[in-house]
Amino acid sequence: MNRTILSLLAAVTSLAAVTGYASLAAPDDGPAPRAAAPARLPVERSSLLCPAPATSDIAETVYTSITPQSGAGGGSAAASTASTAELSPSVTTLRGPADGADGADGADGETKDGENAAENAAEGEAGKDGSTRKPPSAKPVVTLEQPGKPVGAKVSGSAAPALIGTATGALAPGWTAQQTTTVSAGDGRGVLGVSCAAPDTDFWFPGASLAKDRQDYVHLTNPDETGALVDVELYGKDGALGTALSDGIQVPAGGSVPVLLSTLTTDSAEEVTVHVTTRTGRVGAAVRGAGDETGSDWLQASTDPSGTLVLPGVPADATSVRLVAFAPGDDDADLKVRLATATGTINPAGAESLRVKSGMTASIDMKDVTRGEAGSILLGPDEGAPATPVVAALQVTRGKGGEQEIAYIPATAPVTDRATAADNRAEGSVLSLTAPGGTARVKVTASPGTEGGTRAVKTYTVKGGTTLAVSPPVPAGLKGSYALTVEPQSGGPVHAARTLLLPEDGIQMFTVQTLPDDRGLVEVPAAEQDLSVLGD
């Protein structure tokens, strides 16, 4: 008997055995059970990345990390003993001639003119002096131990690296962390707040700048064990800007690379849209915008391109609001601009519409559009125009002259199940809830503090077409910082943002973080037993 016949007989015998076992394993009293609908189950692993906070010697950075409680009882320490949630230093932070080397300028150690920064980043090397800054310790900076109770950590000075974190088990669903840095003086002064974000392969940042008085950096952090190759494209009001890097930027495994935007092009532009994509691997990305007189803050990525967008949480006392949008597709976008206030939706005088040409960045100065009443910007197609996908962000200014300060509000997706703002203080937190469609009912939970306190819960009703700005609940006996968790209960979609006001020496320092859904639940598709696949 030849090998072909033997192989055929063996295959038939194996298939019969498998089929017989499957049949025996099926229920005796009828067909195999079938899931009626996809189940929504908690994720078992989450990743977060925080950019290097600052290189100023007088920078003070606070980290706050939390996994919200689930259900009435929430998680327990016993349930999470096999779980981990840690933020640890990146392996390397590559810079140009910063870290106090020749070429650094002022208190902010990032290279003022960006000399060779982009080239060094592209080659995966350190600055002109050949140095590679390593983290002071491989030990985790922040370690979370149980759901429902935040933990905090503080670092001072310019040595803080980017952080890379992973949460598993009971600590993974909804894991949230924030990095808040205060720089009291110098070119990079201000409150710089950023929600540590999950790695991805595609990011849009409308609202950066190549103006002479700006020093904007894009920070790229690689969480994986293999290198990532990243492209950074810049688009001004006339389209794509020429770039000095055709081979991409190499971000080493476990490393972080800040790149000064002005080193990527010889063109100038007041407003640019930054597009970050990866050829290989994945990264975390954030843009640090800093002006000589306007202070600094982090610009996080806009939500995915869409024909309708919501930009929530414009402070009531904003002295200037500038809308920046970009149309990434082949079609121009004619946008209708509306302001959702506490009493309803209005068309802001002089800023009712914005035309965004394909592949170009457009902007409109909305001035003091809120006029003492907190609000949110709603974007959609103009009358009779198609819903062309765009990305958008706001640059918001509080204060005037030498006491002004900027923050950024990117367009954000609605909260579908839950979202959390990790760092809140006893005073200075403002929660904005926007219901662009129907009226919505929202539950807000204040966690215990990082050093003590008892959680508090409050429910709000947000009328359709309005923005509700409130001082959120504060834990009783609060010590340290705490987290706010937003959970829609009923009604239409809700978009949320949290403003943190930390004035200092007369300067209206502040930062705004939007609250997209934490994606703590994933759908597990329905399944049924199908023996026919064994015959394929």
Side-chain angles (χ1 to χ4, degrees), residues 286-308:
V287 172
R288 181 179 183 239
D292 291 344
E293 296 182 356
T294 58
S296 60
D297 205 349
W298 290 103
L299 168 60
Q300 295 198 258
S302 170
T303 190
D304 292 339
S306 175
T308 59

Side-chain angles (χ1 to χ4, degrees), residues 261-348:
L261 295 182
S262 61
T263 64
L264 300 178
T265 180
T266 57
D267 298 335
S268 62
E270 289 291 323
E271 285 137 357
V272 296
T273 298
V274 181
H275 187 204
V276 175
T277 57
T278 63
R279 300 187 200 178
T280 60
R282 57 183 188 152
V283 294
V287 172
R288 181 179 183 239
D292 291 344
E293 296 182 356
T294 58
S296 60
D297 205 349
W298 290 103
L299 168 60
Q300 295 198 258
S302 170
T303 190
D304 292 339
S306 175
T308 59
L309 294 174
V310 177
L311 300 91
V314 182
D317 60 350
T319 53
S320 175
V321 177
R322 192 165 187 85
L323 170 64
V324 182
F326 178 80
D330 297 328
D331 299 321
D332 298 345
D334 291 302
L335 300 177
K336 182 177 183 179
V337 183
R338 295 176 298 157
L339 174 68
T341 69
T343 55
T345 302
I346 63 172
N347 299 321

Side-chain angles (χ1 to χ4, degrees), residues 58-103:
I58 59 173
E60 299 287 339
T61 299
V62 175
Y63 297 100
T64 308
S65 171
I66 186 173
T67 295
Q69 283 186 323
S70 299
S76 66
S80 61
T81 51
S83 306
T84 60
E86 296 178 342
L87 287 164
S88 300
S90 61
V91 175
T92 56
T93 298
L94 307 180
R95 300 182 184 273
D99 305 331
D102 293 340

Side-chain angles (χ1 to χ4, degrees), residues 328-392:
D330 297 328
D331 299 321
D332 298 345
D334 291 302
L335 300 177
K336 182 177 183 179
V337 183
R338 295 176 298 157
L339 174 68
T341 69
T343 55
T345 302
I346 63 172
N347 299 321
E352 301 92 344
S353 62
L354 177 65
R355 181 172 178 79
V356 187
K357 293 184 178 181
S358 171
M360 302 181 186
T361 298
S363 63
I364 185 171
D365 187 357
M366 306 182 73
K367 301 180 180 178
D368 56 342
V369 63
T370 53
R371 298 183 183 277
E373 188 177 41
S376 301
I377 301 300
L378 312 180
L379 300 180
D382 209 347
E383 194 73 29
T388 303
V390 296
V391 292

Side-chain angles (χ1 to χ4, degrees), residues 397-480:
T397 304
R398 295 176 69 236
K400 296 182 178 180
E403 298 180 348
Q404 61 183 312
E405 177 76 355
I406 62 169
Y408 298 94
I409 303 176
T412 189
V415 183
T416 53
D417 292 311
R418 181 180 60 186
T420 299
D423 182 8
N424 297 275
R425 316 293 171 87
E427 297 181 357
S429 293
V430 178
L431 179 66
S432 294
L433 304 170
T434 302
T439 296
R441 187 168 171 267
V442 181
K443 181 175 77 171
V444 177
T445 301
S447 75
T450 53
E451 301 172 21
T454 305
R455 78 171 191 156
V457 180
K458 191 168 184 178
T459 300
Y460 299 94
T461 298
V462 188
K463 295 182 179 180
T466 71
T467 293
L468 177 65
V470 297
S471 295
V474 176
L478 172 66
K479 294 182 180 180

Side-chain angles (χ1 to χ4, degrees), residues 40 43 48 173-176 198 303 412-420 485-488 494-496 514-522:
R40 291 180 59 77
V43 300
L48 292 177
W175 183 42
T176 304
T303 190
T412 189
V415 183
T416 53
D417 292 311
R418 181 180 60 186
T420 299
T485 298
V486 175
E487 298 174 279
V494 175
H495 300 251
T514 56
L515 277 64
D517 194 84
D518 63 23
R519 299 180 181 179
L521 298 176
V522 292

